[in-house]
Amino acid sequence: MDLELTEDQLDLQRRAREFVDTDVLPHYRSWPVTVAEYSPELVATLKERQKDLGLTNLIVPKEYGGQGLGAMEDALVLAEFSRSPRRIPGTIFAPWPVMYDAADPIKEKYLYPVLEGKTGWSMCFTEPGAGSDLAGIKTTAVRKGDHWVINGRKMWRTGHQGASYTAVAAVTDASKGARGISIFLVDNDTPGFEKARDIPVLSRTWGIEEEVALDNVVVPAENLLGEEGGGFQIAQHQFNRFRLRLGGLALGMSERSQQLAVDYARSREVFGGKLGDNQAIQWMLTDNHYDIESIRWNTYYAAWMVDRGGYSAARVQASMVKAYCIDAGLRVVDRSMQVLGGRGLAIEDYPFGDFYAQLRMCKQMEGSTEIMKIVMARDILGKKF
Ligand SMILES: Cc1cc2nc3c(=O)[nH]c(=O)nc-3n(C[C@H](O)[C@H](O)[C@H](O)COP(=O)(O)OP(=O)(O)OC[C@H]3O[C@@H](n4cnc5c(N)ncnc54)[C@H](O)[C@@H]3O)c2cc1C
């Protein structure tokens, strides 16, 4: 395994850093907190700059106009972008791989507009009665001629404000458990597909989460994504990608927190010396360093595995990235806040509060820490030592 980044990867990382240092960090305080509330002009400017710097559609295959890059490049750019406490439009919601295999009319309607940055999509998997246990969902989809009729209730839809459609998981064959779940692409303006309520959470950065009702929602038969009964597998595959990407997120937030803590420790005068002269502070910075390097190498290793063998091959490692890196990132942000004393809590001046809230939410999203540990434990117990 080669531990050095290639020249191209270093160049990509440098361009992403330049973008964040020049176009984001000096300006983000004047932006709305929630990405969906950014003005169209701001979104267009940010996307244009990313395009100029070659930072768009990184992991989109070349035949679809993307750069065809791998999980490593994706992680490097996400880490740079995550040094900003505000979200940068266009980075998080890459299309699902299964969309590239869809029929042409589906690609026209749902894939290309996302690739062109004209719209986004959201997901409705979780329900009031089933979250970690996706196989326990109760929303049903019943085939009637050339369409499906979906009924049920969903929780936690995120990012709907910037999206024109939602991937909805529903039971198509209750006798088959996890193999009886399918995913449908549902236009957000379909009659019967309604927001039931907002669910304000710790951080509003990604949008307002929502509970959603589906009341006789009619969806054309061709909007079934992948195979009937293949929804659980599609979801698992997609979650592996999300989980790995959260490693990049934790890395960027941790590195920025450490940078601010080190700057403060070097410059702050206390008791006739520098704050950083005190061992208690040095140890916090050292502990941060352990955590940051562990986040980095866990994430890079998982990305390396994906780039060699695909997302399924890195399933357990992606779970480890998700469980470990989010917790380690929370520790780094918390320690850095402490190094800065009262200033660490000033949410307009410093990003720690935003980082903390986002990382804390990530502990629950895309498979909670406990569920990730279950995936790892099954692998550990099944291994020969
Ligand atoms: C901010 C945010 C955004 C989200 N966005 C979306 C979205 O866009 N679309 C979507 O579909 N969902 C979304 N979710 C839902 C998220 O995926 C679920 O919250 C998650 O899967 C956990 O489900 P739950 O909340 O129902 O917890 P539960 O399944 O009720 O679990 C409760 C707690 O018990 C733990 N637990 C569960 N089973 C076990 C076990 N066997 N052993 C040990 N511990 C266990 C869990 O880790 C959890 O901490 C979002 C959640 C949040 C908080």
Side-chain angles (χ1 to χ4, degrees), residues 123-126 131-132 155-158 209 361 364-366 368 370-371 374:
M123 278 183 331
C124 272
F125 287 18
T126 312
S132 304
M155 270 191 73
W156 298 115
R157 178 167 69 166
T158 307
E209 277 67 23
M361 295 207 321
Q364 206 53 244
M365 290 154 49
E366 327 297 1
S368 66
E370 291 73 29
I371 299 304
I374 292 174

Side-chain angles (χ1 to χ4, degrees), residues 203-344:
S203 165
R204 289 177 50 231
T205 310
W206 294 319
I208 310 283
E209 277 67 23
E210 298 173 340
E211 187 164 341
V212 178
L214 294 107
D215 185 14
N216 287 319
V217 173
V218 176
V219 175
E222 58 269 22
N223 282 29
L224 169 71
L225 190 61
E227 305 272 305
E228 186 179 336
F232 192 86
Q233 265 199 320
I234 294 173
Q236 293 309 319
H237 188 267
Q238 182 59 31
F239 284 147
N240 283 341
R241 295 179 59 181
F242 282 145
R243 286 165 192 164
L244 200 155
R245 301 188 102 204
L246 292 180
L249 185 106
L251 182 58
M253 292 181 178
S254 301
E255 286 189 317
R256 175 110 177 98
S257 298
Q258 174 81 326
Q259 183 194 353
L260 292 166
V262 169
D263 285 350
Y264 194 77
R266 279 191 185 132
S267 59
R268 179 71 168 173
E269 301 276 349
V270 288
F271 300 102
K274 297 288 183 205
L275 181 66
D277 296 340
N278 294 284
Q279 202 175 54
I281 300 296
Q282 291 171 0
W283 286 14
M284 283 199 261
L285 299 177
T286 319
D287 288 346
N288 275 357
H289 189 69
Y290 290 148
D291 277 332
I292 291 169
E293 291 310 305
S294 308
I295 296 170
R296 184 192 319 285
W297 294 109
N298 254 308
T299 305
Y300 286 6
Y301 180 52
W304 176 81
M305 283 176 94
V306 168
D307 290 339
R308 287 178 85 217
Y311 280 93
S312 305
R315 193 176 68 92
V316 179
Q317 183 64 25
S319 303
M320 183 156 144
V321 166
K322 165 71 179 38
Y324 180 83
C325 297
I326 296 298
D327 277 354
L330 279 164
R331 290 195 295 269
V332 172
V333 174
D334 185 48
R335 282 190 212 104
S336 305
M337 262 174 152
Q338 191 66 10
V339 169
L340 268 86
R343 284 179 177 76

Side-chain angles (χ1 to χ4, degrees), residues 72-94:
M72 181 62 93
E73 286 82 4
D74 194 35
L76 292 173
V77 170
L78 263 172
E80 293 305 324
F81 281 23
S82 301
R83 291 188 303 121
S84 158
R86 296 284 186 281
R87 287 304 89 216
I88 299 172
T91 52
I92 300 290
F93 285 100

Side-chain angles (χ1 to χ4, degrees), residues 27-237:
H27 309 290
Y28 76 82
R29 287 184 182 83
S30 64
W31 302 353
V33 172
T34 304
V35 68
E37 289 168 7
Y38 293 4
S39 68
E41 295 75 32
L42 174 60
V43 172
T45 309
L46 290 170
K47 284 188 176 171
E48 205 48 47
R49 270 294 281 159
Q50 289 175 65
K51 214 168 161 189
D52 290 347
L53 288 163
L55 298 169
T56 48
N57 286 341
L58 299 177
I59 55 172
V60 172
K62 283 191 174 155
E63 59 268 37
Y64 289 92
Q67 301 197 42
L69 296 173
M72 181 62 93
E73 286 82 4
D74 194 35
L76 292 173
V77 170
L78 263 172
E80 293 305 324
F81 281 23
S82 301
R83 291 188 303 121
S84 158
R86 296 284 186 281
R87 287 304 89 216
I88 299 172
T91 52
I92 300 290
F93 285 100
W96 294 13
V98 66
M99 294 288 285
Y100 300 117
D101 299 329
D104 286 343
I106 295 292
K107 285 189 203 163
E108 292 287 341
K109 189 165 180 198
Y110 298 107
L111 175 62
Y112 299 137
V114 173
L115 295 180
E116 288 158 17
K118 292 183 181 151
T119 187
W121 53 274
S122 49
M123 278 183 331
C124 272
F125 287 18
T126 312
E127 301 186 354
S132 304
D133 182 11
L134 180 61
I137 63 170
K138 295 280 182 268
T139 295
T140 55
V142 177
R143 179 84 190 241
K144 296 213 168 138
D146 61 356
H147 58 267
W148 293 85
V149 181
I150 309 180
N151 279 288
R153 198 144 185 124
K154 295 287 179 180
M155 270 191 73
W156 298 115
R157 178 167 69 166
T158 307
H160 152 249
Q161 292 84 357
S164 57
Y165 67 97
T166 302
V168 175
V171 177
T172 43
D173 186 341
S175 68
K176 291 188 177 159
R179 291 183 186 280
I181 293 174
S182 306
I183 296 177
F184 300 87
L185 302 177
V186 183
D187 292 334
N188 287 344
D189 57 4
T190 310
F193 190 35
E194 303 286 346
K195 175 174 84 172
R197 66 171 177 122
D198 284 335
I199 317 174
V201 286
L202 204 54
S203 165
R204 289 177 50 231
T205 310
W206 294 319
I208 310 283
E209 277 67 23
E210 298 173 340
E211 187 164 341
V212 178
L214 294 107
D215 185 14
N216 287 319
V217 173
V218 176
V219 175
E222 58 269 22
N223 282 29
L224 169 71
L225 190 61
E227 305 272 305
E228 186 179 336
F232 192 86
Q233 265 199 320
I234 294 173
Q236 293 309 319
H237 188 267

